[in-house]
Amino acid sequence: MRKYLLTILCMMASTLVAQVWQHVDPRIGSVGVGRTFPGPCMPFGMVKPGPDCGVLPNAGWAQMPEPVLGFSQTHVSGTGGGQKYGNVLIQPYLPAATIVEQASAQPGQPWRMIPQRRVSEDIALGYYSTTFDSDIRTEITTAERCSFYRIHYPSAGNLFVDVTHFLGKDSVPNLRERQQFVGGNLQVVSDHEVTGHTTIRGGWNNGDAYTVFFCLQTDEPFLVCCDSVTTLQHASLRFHDTLVNLKIGISYVSVDQARHNIPAHDFDTQLSLLRNTWEQQLSKVQIAGTPEQCRMFYTALYHTMLMPVDKTGEAPFSLPFREGQGVGSYYDDYYAIWDTYRTSSPLLTLLCPDRQTAIVNSLLNIYAREGYMPDARSGDCNGRTQGGSNAEVVIADAFAKQLGGIDYQLALEAMLKDATVDPGADHEKHGRGGLTEYNRLGYIPYGIDRAGNRTMEYAFCDWCIAQVARGLGQKTLAREYLKKSRSWRNLWRKDYEWDGMRGFILPKDAQGRWLDSVPWGHSKVFRPTIPYTPVTKVAPWYLPWWSTFFYEATSEEYSLSVPHDVPGLIRACGGKKQFRQRLDLFFEKGYYNVQNEPSFLTPCLYHWIGRPDLSTQRIHQIVRDNYTDRPDGLPGNDDSGAMSSWLAFHMMGLYPNAGTDYYLLNLPLLPEYTFRLPNGRRLHVTTSGTGDMFKAAYLNGKRLRGARITHQQLMEGGELVFKTSPDLPKGEEGLAGSGLSKNDLSVAAFSSSVTNNNTHAGRSSSPLGRSGEVLFTLNRQFRTWPISYAWDGDTLSFICKQTTYRIPRTEVEHATGFCWLSPQTDGTIHHNARGTFCFISRDALQSLLSTGSFLYDGIIWRRISKEQRLLPDGTPVSCLRVRADIDATEMLIALPSPYVATVSQPNSLLSLPFVLEMQGNPLGIDWILTLNPSTSK
């Protein structure tokens, strides 16, 4: 008894001391591809203040030693694509600091910058601080709509205020996905207050202009410096005290509203309130685990609650009145629902259903005002749709889980608007692009942007419509959309075989013909047709990646992405045995893509053939190989918490099939946890048994059939026990049956061609002979990427960025064109690549030397001059400059000496006829190639 009481007292003391918010590490995912926002933020907070380290990082922040241009008040988290926000910049500085002016897209309005270097920084939940090399220390925390700063100057200092600043600046006006300054001004109201606004347009969603109003208040008086910095759009304030507290209220409505959004309390009080608010949200799940597991899990929950942002009362327009809504719910920065519907929305339904209700009602309010629900939205403007009209899935998920406070009749109306009214020219903004063709043909033909994604997603969205219609008693409508939900089968090419697998989603034209080769690009000069296979990832660089057949996925991935009709997919693959083989090959050959959402459900598909133990093994290995508690611990863009919520669910042993009322069960990565449910009940989850094979799950002593649990069962609470076994089910063969040890199930062991976020997938085991870098100019955007190359038998392994081009020797010697497949960051491997990369073939060079011309990509190139160039080590290289007859594009080709002797010598620097320069290419692809003189070790 004494021991029991002592244990209870120890637990109580631990609870009082160790709050779970302390496990959150905002640095996780901030480095590399995760792009999470590491600065302070309230749950769903409208304001996210933090440093802008240049104008290119999507979240503003970048690692040291990147200089800090200042601290802006609005950011996004985990996003890819173009930048958004970065509004209302402040920068503390000392009077002697250098002011930099840089040309802008607007004549007579240069960008003024006062870059500072960091010597240290501290990042924790709700708190960011940094010290500059000038000894200025800046601390930041935040409320929902107001930033708090505490600035320590070593002596009397200045504060630069800039309303012209934003992320994604470019000297070229009106670039796609780049923001553009429209206008703004500021006013010094008193010696304690500055107000103003900034209006910006564009950015990732190519949105209309949005306006950010602000009110800056200080606790110390300031003087306005009369120097070159102070204008109607910039101000330099001087303080005599060395400690300055300031608050910046933000509003999308007015300056008065921004002033109203400033809390009365001080910095430390706000920091305490912020952390208590997060504690209330995060402590709903109490876990047992290692310190690393705690950091990963609670940070994952934290990331899921950063976006969308709550702008209720901050809409710069009137929302339609709806009975019982009061002030209409309004959320912005859906970034994007195509990313978040699978895991983020279902996790919010579990953690904070009232918040999810408000988010769904916001979608309906946007529909009532603008005619369509968004698939993505930012800066108070819909756009850009990605896969489908995926708000339908969010609504169906809420309906299936009986989320209250939602007008489902209005929701069904909004869903049907998406499914019946083609948005026409606004297809990138909202609605279903290609809807006319989809409804007429039952699929979207090749040539319409993202035809593959859209067909698959529209079929799923139609299934979601059918579920809501049936639940509302509209049986005829439900049958109609259930039939349409099978449209994915119209692009299923059942007899197509690839790499041991049979049946794929592949392109078809409007006449119903399968396309083995597809035209790529819209050039008037160069019209290639390139074979389309299940692993064709992207189009050539001159065709926007937004316009490909599959966006952010391949046919290999999307052919297994039929969440509403997995039994139909199994039949299409030939039955359970063939489907098991298909899944095994998919993972073993490295086709699983951890970096993007279309593959989120795929590891769980073993459930449908009665093998949740295999799902568990795949999931655990994916997590071990790709997720950590380090700053680079996320394997892809977090996409408003999508990657993080996927992890959180699997750590708990649950996985939602969005739009349904059930969760698939897998062996949790956490040894034990307790979930405080929204209805006040508790769900205690444990694992018992020996071994690491998932055997069964029991809820309150009753076995759960099919390794799944419904939402209503979960809400009952009680004891959920996962049973393990050291052995596989009798008569079955697990992953170890393919020759893999069940204790060594690393994805890297599956195949040399697997994608891993820490290594170049499938890289040859032999040392790479040479390296260098290539500076590409891609449609006026500059990219410098590393290259390396070496021979591996009769295959040249050429790596650019993180993409490997496996080029057969026959192509190196006899190719008649370039390989135009663009480099990616995900470890893509192009086996048996056709064409050369940054060099021309032996035959082409011999033709040039003997006749003065050669044919490449169907274009005649003629010699115009001979030149000398120096390599980085000073070695002179003879080059030939050639020009294309058809469009005057020029190439500078380095001459190997002698070519025949060196082509098979990997340690010869110029073993290939490299194109050192490509200039004037009307396709928008120029480059300058630099080769390093030393051999890689």
Side-chain angles (χ1 to χ4, degrees):
M1 183 67 177
R2 180 182 299 174
K3 183 178 179 181
Y4 176 76
L5 289 173
L6 182 61
T7 301
I8 293 296
L9 289 172
C10 289
M11 290 178 64
M12 291 174 62
S14 176
T15 301
L16 290 172
V17 173
Q19 294 181 300
V20 300
W21 70 259
Q22 295 175 353
H23 296 299
V24 174
D25 187 349
R27 294 173 299 176
I28 295 175
S30 62
V31 173
V33 294
R35 297 186 179 183
T36 55
F37 174 70
C41 184
M42 291 285 281
F44 309 96
M46 191 178 79
V47 169
K48 293 179 176 66
D52 285 351
C53 305
V55 296
L56 294 181
N58 282 34
W61 180 88
Q63 290 178 284
M64 294 190 291
E66 289 297 319
V68 175
L69 302 184
F71 306 94
S72 66
Q73 317 315 308
T74 53
H75 294 94
V76 293
S77 181
T79 65
Q83 299 80 4
K84 195 76 177 184
Y85 300 133
N87 309 117
V88 188
L89 181 109
I90 64 169
Q91 175 72 304
Y93 69 101
L94 298 179
T98 302
I99 299 170
V100 178
E101 291 196 358
Q102 183 174 321
S104 75
Q106 293 180 304
Q109 293 187 340
W111 298 331
R112 291 180 171 85
M113 300 178 292
I114 308 176
Q116 305 266 28
R117 295 281 179 182
R118 293 164 288 177
V119 296
S120 66
E121 62 182 357
D122 183 17
I123 299 174
L125 185 142
Y127 178 82
Y128 174 89
S129 73
T130 186
T131 300
F132 293 152
D133 57 6
S134 61
D135 286 334
I136 297 174
R137 179 168 175 250
T138 303
E139 299 177 87
I140 314 174
T141 190
T142 190
E144 287 90 345
R145 299 172 182 183
C146 177
S147 308
F148 284 67
Y149 291 84
R150 187 158 57 197
I151 303 173
H152 308 259
Y153 293 98
S155 58
N158 293 359
L159 184 74
F160 176 50
V161 184
D162 181 8
V163 302
T164 70
H165 176 81
F166 54 90
L167 295 174
K169 289 181 179 178
D170 199 290
S171 59
V172 179
N174 301 319
L175 286 179
R176 182 177 172 84
E177 294 194 38
R178 289 302 180 97
Q179 296 195 104
Q180 192 81 33
F181 181 67
V182 176
N185 61 55
L186 57 80
Q187 178 181 2
V188 178
V189 178
S190 69
D191 61 358
H192 285 79
E193 183 176 280
V194 178
T195 63
H197 77 274
T198 179
T199 301
I200 308 292
R201 62 177 170 84
W204 173 77
N205 65 330
N206 298 306
D208 299 335
Y210 64 92
T211 298
V212 179
F213 299 90
F214 73 94
C215 177
L216 183 155
Q217 295 179 348
T218 68
D219 67 338
E220 297 294 336
F222 57 76
L223 298 173
V224 178
C225 302
C226 296
D227 56 27
S228 61
V229 178
T230 302
T231 68
L232 292 176
Q233 297 172 341
H234 313 83
S236 184
L237 315 178
R238 179 159 298 169
F239 298 95
H240 293 293
D241 284 299
T242 56
L243 176 62
V244 176
N245 284 277
L246 62 91
K247 304 172 186 178
I248 305 176
I250 294 295
S251 173
Y252 290 83
V253 175
S254 67
V255 167
D256 287 342
Q257 183 67 31
R259 186 181 290 112
H260 176 76
N261 287 340
I262 299 176
H265 47 257
D266 63 12
F267 186 101
D268 291 326
T269 301
Q270 179 55 40
L271 179 57
S272 179
L273 286 171
L274 178 149
R275 287 174 170 170
N276 286 336
T277 301
W278 276 110
E279 181 68 18
Q280 292 171 23
Q281 297 296 327
L282 301 173
S283 63
K284 293 174 182 178
V285 189
Q286 296 282 341
I287 73 172
T290 66
E292 179 186 16
Q293 287 175 323
C294 290
R295 284 191 293 272
M296 291 171 65
F297 179 76
Y298 285 112
T299 304
L301 298 188
Y302 167 81
H303 284 154
T304 307
M305 291 185 272
L306 296 183
M307 290 166 59
V309 302
D310 186 354
K311 292 172 70 172
T312 301
E314 284 288 344
F317 40 72
S318 298
L319 290 171
F321 175 79
R322 291 172 50 214
E323 193 69 34
Q325 282 285 300
V327 176
S329 297
Y330 179 57
Y331 283 70
D332 198 9
D333 296 332
Y334 297 92
Y335 222 107
I337 295 175
W338 181 80
D339 299 296
T340 60
Y341 78 76
R342 296 169 177 87
T343 52
S344 298
S345 292
L347 185 56
L348 295 182
T349 298
L350 273 179
L351 286 172
C352 40
D354 290 345
R355 181 74 72 167
Q356 183 63 13
T357 294
I359 290 171
V360 172
N361 279 323
S362 173
L363 295 175
L364 299 181
N365 286 333
I366 293 169
Y367 159 72
R369 180 183 183 273
E370 301 183 18
Y372 285 95
M373 295 184 292
D375 180 64
R377 184 179 178 91
S378 191
D380 301 308
C381 187
N382 283 355
R384 297 155 42 184
T385 61
Q386 297 194 89
S389 52
N390 296 117
E392 275 101 276
V393 188
V394 176
I395 289 172
D397 195 73
F399 186 77
K401 293 165 183 170
Q402 301 177 29
L403 208 58
I406 297 169
D407 183 348
Y408 286 108
Q409 292 289 352
L410 178 64
L412 181 59
E413 175 189 309
M415 298 165 87
L416 291 171
K417 173 66 176 293
D418 282 336
T420 57
V421 181
D422 195 311
D426 284 337
H427 64 87
E428 190 174 287
K429 187 175 182 180
H430 44 219
R432 296 188 184 184
L435 179 65
T436 300
E437 290 80 0
Y438 175 77
N439 285 338
R440 177 170 57 87
L441 300 172
Y443 64 93
I444 299 179
Y446 185 86
I448 294 176
D449 291 354
R450 305 183 302 290
N453 297 69
R454 282 170 157 167
T455 298
M456 300 297 286
E457 298 287 347
Y458 292 178
F460 181 28
C461 292
D462 286 341
W463 183 88
C464 291
I465 293 173
Q467 304 314 300
V468 175
R470 183 176 60 182
L472 294 176
Q474 300 194 36
K475 295 181 180 180
T476 301
L477 187 66
R479 285 193 295 269
E480 175 188 349
Y481 278 88
L482 186 61
K483 181 179 179 181
K484 292 182 67 175
S485 74
R486 303 186 186 104
S487 296
W488 67 272
R489 302 179 188 182
N490 295 327
L491 287 183
W492 183 265
R493 191 170 177 180
K494 64 181 180 180
D495 59 347
Y496 191 97
E497 294 187 12
W498 176 267
D499 208 4
M501 291 167 272
R502 184 181 179 91
F504 291 91
I505 299 294
L506 290 171
K508 184 187 284 187
D509 67 15
Q511 287 71 45
R513 296 172 298 201
W514 296 110
L515 301 178
D516 292 315
S517 296
V518 295
W520 283 12
H522 305 291
S523 169
K524 296 180 180 179
V525 173
F526 183 50
R527 298 184 180 90
T529 59
I530 300 181
Y532 196 94
T533 74
V535 295
T536 300
K537 190 172 185 65
V538 293
W541 303 346
Y542 50 85
L543 178 67
W545 53 271
W546 194 252
S547 302
T548 55
F549 182 68
F550 276 122
Y551 160 78
E552 292 194 357
T554 64
S555 172
E556 273 283 4
E557 298 164 62
Y558 250 111
S559 293
L560 294 174
S561 183
V562 193
H564 62 292
D565 191 12
V566 178
L569 176 63
I570 293 172
R571 289 191 296 272
C573 289
K576 290 185 177 181
K577 181 180 178 180
Q578 290 79 6
F579 191 64
R580 159 76 190 276
Q581 294 172 347
R582 173 74 171 260
L583 289 176
D584 288 348
L585 287 172
F586 178 79
F587 286 100
E588 291 168 13
K589 290 179 175 291
Y591 292 122
Y592 176 74
N593 179 10
V594 70
Q595 291 189 318
N596 274 308
E597 289 78 7
S599 290
F600 268 19
L601 180 64
T602 310
C604 293
L605 292 180
Y606 290 100
H607 275 67
W608 275 267
I609 58 172
R611 296 302 304 276
D613 58 303
L614 300 184
S615 294
T616 290
Q617 291 183 49
R618 294 294 184 194
I619 290 161
H620 285 203
Q621 196 61 54
I622 290 166
V623 172
R624 284 195 294 268
D625 284 354
N626 296 281
Y627 287 85
T628 73
D629 64 342
R630 298 190 301 266
D632 63 350
L634 292 179
N637 296 156
D638 197 39
D639 289 330
S640 303
M643 285 283 159
S644 292
S645 54
W646 185 94
L647 172 66
F649 267 122
H650 283 310
M651 292 186 78
M652 293 189 292
L654 306 171
Y655 191 78
N657 192 9
T660 74
D661 69 342
Y662 64 85
Y663 305 85
L664 301 171
L665 299 173
N666 294 286
L667 203 61
L669 285 158
L670 299 170
E672 182 180 1
Y673 65 91
T674 299
F675 205 131
R676 189 173 76 248
L677 300 169
N679 57 14
R681 297 175 181 175
R682 293 178 184 269
L683 180 71
H684 182 226
V685 182
T686 56
T687 301
S688 74
T690 58
D692 56 4
M693 302 302 298
F694 179 29
K695 184 178 181 181
Y698 294 81
L699 179 65
N700 298 323
K702 184 177 180 181
R703 181 166 180 164
L704 294 165
R705 305 292 297 177
R708 62 180 66 187
I709 185 173
T710 68
H711 185 73
Q712 295 309 310
Q713 286 175 317
L714 192 149
M715 288 295 110
E716 293 173 6
E719 296 288 329
L720 176 60
V721 181
F722 289 84
K723 297 286 188 179
T724 64
S725 167
D727 301 313
L728 294 166
K730 187 176 181 180
E732 291 289 353
E733 190 178 79
L735 299 181
S738 62
L740 299 170
S741 166
K742 67 182 181 182
N743 295 318
D744 185 25
L745 293 170
S746 79
V747 177
F750 289 165
S751 168
S752 64
S753 62
V754 71
T755 297
N756 186 290
N757 66 313
N758 295 318
T759 62
H760 291 299
R763 182 179 289 184
S764 169
S765 59
S766 61
L768 292 173
R770 290 290 165 182
S771 63
E773 64 180 21
V774 56
L775 170 62
F776 285 107
T777 305
L778 309 176
N779 297 311
R780 297 190 298 182
Q781 298 185 44
F782 300 98
R783 301 287 187 270
T784 300
W785 292 330
I787 63 167
S788 51
Y789 59 97
W791 285 96
D792 182 7
D794 279 332
T795 299
L796 180 68
S797 183
F798 197 106
I799 297 176
C800 182
K801 205 174 184 179
Q802 290 183 12
T803 295
T804 301
Y805 300 83
R806 301 275 296 170
I807 308 174
R809 186 181 296 276
T810 54
E811 287 294 299
V812 174
E813 295 184 355
H814 307 302
T816 58
F818 289 110
C819 177
W820 292 108
L821 298 172
S822 63
Q824 303 296 305
T825 59
D826 58 4
T828 296
I829 299 175
H830 296 297
H831 294 285
N832 296 315
R834 297 304 175 202
T836 57
F837 194 95
C838 290
F839 63 93
I840 63 173
S841 68
R842 173 183 178 179
D843 286 356
L845 178 62
Q846 289 182 334
S847 176
L848 175 62
L849 294 174
S850 61
T851 68
S853 67
F854 65 99
L855 186 69
Y856 229 56
D857 284 326
I859 298 171
I860 296 176
W861 301 81
R862 300 186 190 278
R863 171 177 170 174
I864 57 174
S865 64
K866 185 173 183 179
E867 302 178 14
Q868 288 272 48
R869 288 299 169 94
L870 295 178
L871 295 178
D873 63 351
T875 303
V877 176
S878 296
C879 304
L880 293 180
R881 184 172 294 278
V882 299
R883 180 179 295 153
D885 279 358
I886 196 167
D887 58 18
T889 301
E890 292 187 3
M891 291 192 288
L892 186 67
I893 301 170
L895 297 178
S897 177
Y899 180 80
V900 175
T902 61
V903 70
S904 61
Q905 297 177 10
N907 290 328
S908 175
L909 180 59
L910 285 178
S911 59
L912 299 168
F914 282 104
V915 178
L916 300 183
E917 296 178 6
M918 172 80 77
Q919 296 179 340
N921 188 343
L923 299 178
I925 310 168
D926 291 345
W927 71 73
I928 298 175
L929 181 66
T930 302
L931 299 172
N932 296 330
S934 60
T935 302
S936 300
K937 300 296 183 184

